[in-house]
């Protein structure tokens, strides 16, 4: 099994299965024409965030292409669904509030940087779900927006 090394902004290096890492279009584009060991520096992603991204990649490594983030496989009309495993990775409480909003934003930024659409969709859905049903003032508070 081929491996790729992903290097976080602080220098930490993570070994990841190449096929798993290539789920992210950004990594796939970098690795398609290269043979052998690869070290990919990711200067925009910190080590704790890269660890979360890799955890998500590994959990979803064997997902079929038709698995759509946000859609409940048992009820296709439920488009606000986030699995329990994804809730744990992103830090989502049972009431859909976020344990660490800044961490979720950084995960979304990393997913965007890596062009990893499933995680980008799941992260943005987590933020949207956390705001669902809140008043404008409640949203400002949740998002740390000062008026």
């Amino acid at each position: 099994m081929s491996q790729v090394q992903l290097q976080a902004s602080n220098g930490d290096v993570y070994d990841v299965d190449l096929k798993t890492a290539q789920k992210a279009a950004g990594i796939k584009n970098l690795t398609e024409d290269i043979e052998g060991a690869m070290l990919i520096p990711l200067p925009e992603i910190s080590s704790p965030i890269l660890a979360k991204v890799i955890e998500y990649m590994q959990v979803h490594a064997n997902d079929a292409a038709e698995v759509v983030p946000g859609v409940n496989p048992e009820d296709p009309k439920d488009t606000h669904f986030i699995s329990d495993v994804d809730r744990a990775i992103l830090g989502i409480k049972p009431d859909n509030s976020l344990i660490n909003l800044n961490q979720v934003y950084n995960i979304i930024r990393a997913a965007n940087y890596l062009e990893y659409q499933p995680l980008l969709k799941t992260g943005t859905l987590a933020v949207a779900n956390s705001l669902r049903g809140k008043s404008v003032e409640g949203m400002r508070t949740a998002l740390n927006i000062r008026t």
Side-chain angles (χ1 to χ4, degrees), residues 37-140:
M38 292 171 260
L39 174 67
I40 299 174
L42 301 170
E44 300 294 320
I45 305 174
S46 69
S47 185
I49 299 303
L50 184 56
K52 291 284 187 183
V53 171
I54 291 168
E55 181 180 2
Y56 186 94
M57 285 178 168
Q58 290 170 335
V59 165
H60 294 283
N62 297 318
D63 283 359
E66 54 276 354
V67 172
V68 179
V71 177
N72 187 341
E74 296 172 13
D75 180 8
K77 292 180 183 177
D78 178 6
T79 58
H80 308 294
F81 176 78
I82 299 177
S83 72
D84 291 340
V85 173
D86 292 349
R87 287 176 166 280
I89 293 170
L90 293 172
I92 304 170
K93 296 178 187 175
D95 67 352
N96 283 329
S97 62
L98 303 172
I99 294 172
N100 185 338
L101 182 62
N102 191 43
Q103 175 179 291
V104 175
Y105 282 157
N106 286 326
I107 290 171
I108 291 168
R109 286 182 54 230
N112 187 51
Y113 181 76
L114 295 171
E115 300 176 54
Y116 188 36
Q117 292 303 311
L119 180 55
L120 183 60
K121 288 179 183 179
T122 303
T124 54
L125 179 60
V127 173
N129 284 350
S130 74
L131 299 175
R132 192 172 314 285
K134 290 191 188 292
S135 67
V136 173
E137 198 54 44
M139 287 184 197
R140 285 183 182 142

